[in-house]
Amino acid sequence: MSQGLVQERVTTALLGALNGARLKGQLKTATWPTLTLDAPKRPEWGDLASTVAMSLASSEHKAPHDIAQIIVENIPQREQLFDRVEIVRPGFLNLTVKPALWQEVLREIESQGAHYGRTAVGTGRRVLVEYVSANPTGPLHVGHGRGAAVGHAIVRLLDAIGYDAVGEYYINDAGRQMKLLGASVYARYQELSGRTVEFPEDGYHGSYITSVAQQLKDQLDLVAGELTPADLEARCRSLAYQKLLGLIREDLQSFGIEIQSWFSEASLLESKAIERAMDELKARDLLFQQEGAWWFRASLYGDEKDRVVKKQDGEYTYLASDIAYHHDKLKRGYDLLIDVFGADHHGYIPRMQAVMQAYGHPQDRLQVVLVQLVKLLRDGVEVKMSKRTGEFITMREVIDEVGADAARFYFLMRDSKTHLEFDLELAKQRSADNPVYYVQYAHARICSLWRVAAERGVARPSALETDLTVLTDPDELGLIKKLSAYPEMIQASALAFEPHRVTYYLQQLAAQLHTFYNKHRVLPPATDQEHGEPAPAEALTPKRTAARLVLMGGVQHILRNGLEVLGISAPDHM
């Protein structure tokens, strides 16, 4: 696990203690457990805590407290690293790190800048993240917006820790839904042409279908006399598909999302990829025929039952296309496949993991991220229908109303596996109650600080050339400790496919920054009686001013880096 500078130094010291104890014969375990460091529940207990002594109790056949004592006795450079090392029964190690080590974090952040928190953990591994993949039969709705934000953030997080991550949209441009799209648009076109027709029973009734028909009417009128009704309906299907897919692309672009790869389901049919995938499964005796249909032996790999891939009428099921599609992903050489699904696809997970195993891969080569529903609110009251159309609310409407940054932050604020309440009015507020404003304002506040400093003739100091030993106040050290946790948080968020951890961290950091800023001076006032400035509650020497400016620079770097990895802007003014 990637760690901040302090955590890395402490981990190294503990490993040194373990190895030293083994050389002395005090410990005998051949392989040490993974060392993890946590923040104690109460600050007075220390900065970091380790349970390594308890992890070793069974293999060492010793009491955890005795093992902890051995570790403490063997910590190299203990006096230089720690102010205090305590053993708490049954065997917790509570460690209070010297302020000088925390202060060094600010120099590391300044030297790495935009790269702070980025690692090479995933170097050499390719990942394909499929997300959104909405049928091109209508505009993206608000639920698709959440899936888009989650999928895009996962791609960016994996990229931040070194993976070669690619986002892909699977276009469901074949099968029944496309036939219904063509029939629906054709029916509305005929109505616009003054003919009374029976609308398809399972057709798409949204007003957007009428809008598409209106936009296509002139093109269709030019060829209507030359084509049979079946051919004209096919033309409606083709043109409506192009129009709606273009709309989806535009909506995603308005959300700041550029999907690198677009994969067509129709291409699987045209290239005979589905037949080849089915033939390969037949050759492995993983398909069987029953009552005129072909079935995939999914139950062999943990699915609750076998699944139909080819119906009695010879038509392939959605599963057959998905098998061929995922087989294609594997053939493209991706080391890991991630599918971002709506929560209603939960039952699809075991059958797709069965597909992985059927092709000779471990089931965890495919990871599925579920995205739960979004409940839109306005001042606490649920909003169910679009003001514009009287139908479902589109992703574009939300973006137009609150902005792409706010929409993305809100979509990412909660674990994607949980339901999300999104209050549109709150998302537009310029107040501390609005989480995205609260975080972005923290960044803008520091930018304003630099402008005021320049006006007062205070130069921006370099961390390398600044005496940071004056940063000993608990609030100062608390901010540095939060900054030091950023690299580990980013890696954990990426590996768990949980971007909400980043928004949570940023809100915490912003809260600490605002509290610090309201409590402490950073710059001296322009005059002793400067209007609107609080009276100094502490001595603010030039040395302390410089050190606190370096601290503010560190906070600014992390706020910007965290927002950037989520695809959210870090404004200079608000």
Side-chain angles (χ1 to χ4, degrees), residues 501-520:
R501 298 191 191 192
V502 185
T503 59
Y504 184 67
Y505 171 91
L506 291 173
Q507 290 176 82
Q508 289 182 314
L509 178 58
Q512 283 186 244
L513 180 279
H514 291 309
T515 299
F516 181 88
Y517 207 89
N518 294 333
K519 183 177 177 181
H520 300 280

Side-chain angles (χ1 to χ4, degrees), residues 118-353:
R118 302 183 75 91
T119 66
V121 171
T123 298
R125 300 199 69 206
R126 301 176 67 227
V127 184
L128 185 69
V129 184
E130 181 208 336
Y131 63 103
V132 188
S133 297
N135 291 342
T137 54
L140 299 177
H141 57 61
V142 68
H144 294 136
R146 190 181 190 190
V150 170
H152 193 231
I154 289 172
V155 171
R156 295 174 72 92
L157 279 164
L158 290 170
D159 176 73
I161 64 169
Y163 285 84
D164 178 6
V166 173
E168 183 162 279
Y169 190 117
Y170 179 57
I171 311 168
N172 298 101
D173 53 359
R176 184 169 180 270
Q177 74 274 8
M178 296 307 296
K179 293 177 182 176
L180 286 173
L181 173 64
S184 302
V185 172
Y186 182 47
R188 294 302 186 214
Y189 165 68
Q190 291 185 86
E191 289 171 356
L192 291 171
S193 301
R195 292 184 286 275
T196 301
V197 296
E198 184 176 348
F199 196 80
E201 183 179 352
D202 297 326
Y204 296 103
H205 291 265
S207 61
Y208 67 89
I209 292 292
T210 302
S211 176
V212 168
Q214 287 174 329
Q215 295 174 51
L216 300 179
K217 188 173 184 304
D218 289 345
Q219 287 178 261
L220 295 170
D221 285 344
L222 291 174
V223 296
E226 304 169 10
L227 300 177
T228 66
D231 288 340
L232 191 56
E233 182 176 316
R235 181 66 62 91
C236 286
R237 179 169 65 246
S238 174
L239 293 175
Y241 158 71
Q242 294 171 30
K243 176 72 70 176
L244 289 169
L245 185 61
L247 179 65
I248 288 171
R249 288 178 184 266
E250 289 173 8
D251 285 352
L252 289 171
Q253 287 172 356
S254 76
F255 203 17
I257 292 176
E258 290 284 348
I259 293 180
Q260 297 100 315
S261 175
W262 296 74
F263 191 100
S264 162
E265 179 186 5
S267 71
L268 295 171
L269 292 166
E270 293 163 4
S271 66
K272 306 295 183 183
I274 298 179
E275 285 90 335
R276 289 196 298 275
M278 296 301 105
D279 288 343
E280 188 170 337
L281 291 177
K282 285 178 187 177
R284 300 183 184 197
D285 195 28
L286 294 176
L287 294 189
F288 66 94
Q289 196 168 21
Q290 182 175 302
E291 297 178 354
W294 283 92
W295 298 68
F296 168 49
R297 299 185 191 275
S299 60
L300 288 178
Y301 302 105
D303 196 4
E304 61 182 3
K305 61 183 180 181
D306 296 328
R307 306 287 178 177
V308 175
V309 291
K310 193 173 186 179
K311 296 182 283 189
Q312 291 174 330
D313 62 4
E315 185 179 349
Y316 286 111
T317 63
Y318 289 126
L319 178 59
S321 294
D322 284 336
I323 289 173
Y325 174 43
H326 283 76
H327 187 38
D328 182 271
K329 291 181 183 182
L330 291 168
K331 288 194 298 182
R332 283 186 267 162
Y334 288 102
D335 302 291
L336 176 65
L337 309 180
I338 300 173
D339 288 350
V340 180
F341 285 166
D344 56 339
H345 284 69
H346 182 273
Y348 227 63
I349 299 174
R351 70 191 73 169
M352 293 315 301
Q353 290 182 332

Side-chain angles (χ1 to χ4, degrees), residues 233-495:
E233 182 176 316
R235 181 66 62 91
C236 286
R237 179 169 65 246
S238 174
L239 293 175
Y241 158 71
Q242 294 171 30
K243 176 72 70 176
L244 289 169
L245 185 61
L247 179 65
I248 288 171
R249 288 178 184 266
E250 289 173 8
D251 285 352
L252 289 171
Q253 287 172 356
S254 76
F255 203 17
I257 292 176
E258 290 284 348
I259 293 180
Q260 297 100 315
S261 175
W262 296 74
F263 191 100
S264 162
E265 179 186 5
S267 71
L268 295 171
L269 292 166
E270 293 163 4
S271 66
K272 306 295 183 183
I274 298 179
E275 285 90 335
R276 289 196 298 275
M278 296 301 105
D279 288 343
E280 188 170 337
L281 291 177
K282 285 178 187 177
R284 300 183 184 197
D285 195 28
L286 294 176
L287 294 189
F288 66 94
Q289 196 168 21
Q290 182 175 302
E291 297 178 354
W294 283 92
W295 298 68
F296 168 49
R297 299 185 191 275
S299 60
L300 288 178
Y301 302 105
D303 196 4
E304 61 182 3
K305 61 183 180 181
D306 296 328
R307 306 287 178 177
V308 175
V309 291
K310 193 173 186 179
K311 296 182 283 189
Q312 291 174 330
D313 62 4
E315 185 179 349
Y316 286 111
T317 63
Y318 289 126
L319 178 59
S321 294
D322 284 336
I323 289 173
Y325 174 43
H326 283 76
H327 187 38
D328 182 271
K329 291 181 183 182
L330 291 168
K331 288 194 298 182
R332 283 186 267 162
Y334 288 102
D335 302 291
L336 176 65
L337 309 180
I338 300 173
D339 288 350
V340 180
F341 285 166
D344 56 339
H345 284 69
H346 182 273
Y348 227 63
I349 299 174
R351 70 191 73 169
M352 293 315 301
Q353 290 182 332
V355 171
M356 292 294 108
Q357 296 173 82
Y359 282 113
H361 302 281
Q363 69 174 34
D364 61 4
R365 185 139 179 206
L366 170 68
Q367 297 290 326
V368 177
V369 176
L370 292 177
V371 179
Q372 277 287 359
L373 298 174
V374 179
K375 180 189 286 187
L376 280 182
L377 307 176
R378 192 178 297 281
D379 287 330
V381 179
E382 185 173 1
V383 181
K384 293 184 177 180
M385 296 296 178
S386 165
K387 285 184 177 180
R388 300 178 192 176
T389 65
E391 297 160 344
F392 64 86
I393 298 175
T394 65
M395 183 184 87
R396 187 60 174 265
E397 286 178 280
V398 173
I399 295 169
D400 288 347
E401 180 166 350
V402 306
D405 280 348
R408 189 188 294 266
F409 197 95
Y410 269 78
F411 284 140
L412 297 174
M413 264 200 325
R414 302 282 180 267
D415 186 338
S416 68
K417 298 185 291 295
T418 63
H419 289 272
L420 174 67
E421 291 190 346
F422 186 150
D423 195 308
L424 294 164
E425 293 302 321
L426 180 59
K428 293 185 289 186
Q429 285 184 17
R430 296 172 63 84
S431 74
D433 294 329
N434 179 359
V436 63
Y437 177 83
Y438 194 62
V439 172
Q440 289 183 315
Y441 178 59
H443 183 270
R445 196 171 196 178
I446 298 173
C447 292
S448 175
L449 177 70
W450 303 130
R451 292 191 292 272
V452 173
E455 291 169 4
R456 297 182 184 176
V458 179
R460 182 167 181 170
S462 159
L464 194 61
E465 298 172 358
T466 300
D467 180 3
L468 302 177
T469 60
V470 295
L471 297 177
T472 56
D473 184 277
D475 293 336
E476 294 167 336
L477 291 174
L479 270 173
I480 298 174
K481 291 170 188 178
K482 193 66 181 176
L483 302 180
S484 184
Y486 179 78
E488 189 169 342
M489 180 279 301
I490 284 292
Q491 183 172 320
S493 179
L495 294 178

Side-chain angles (χ1 to χ4, degrees), residues 28-65:
K28 300 176 182 178
T29 302
T31 304
W32 306 124
T34 301
L35 291 180
T36 57
L37 297 170
D38 300 300
K41 292 182 180 178
R42 292 166 58 174
E44 61 267 28
W45 291 351
D47 298 326
L48 300 167
S50 172
T51 59
V52 64
M54 289 180 281
S55 300
L56 289 169
S58 60
S59 60
E60 290 293 333
H61 304 292
K62 294 178 185 289
H65 189 275

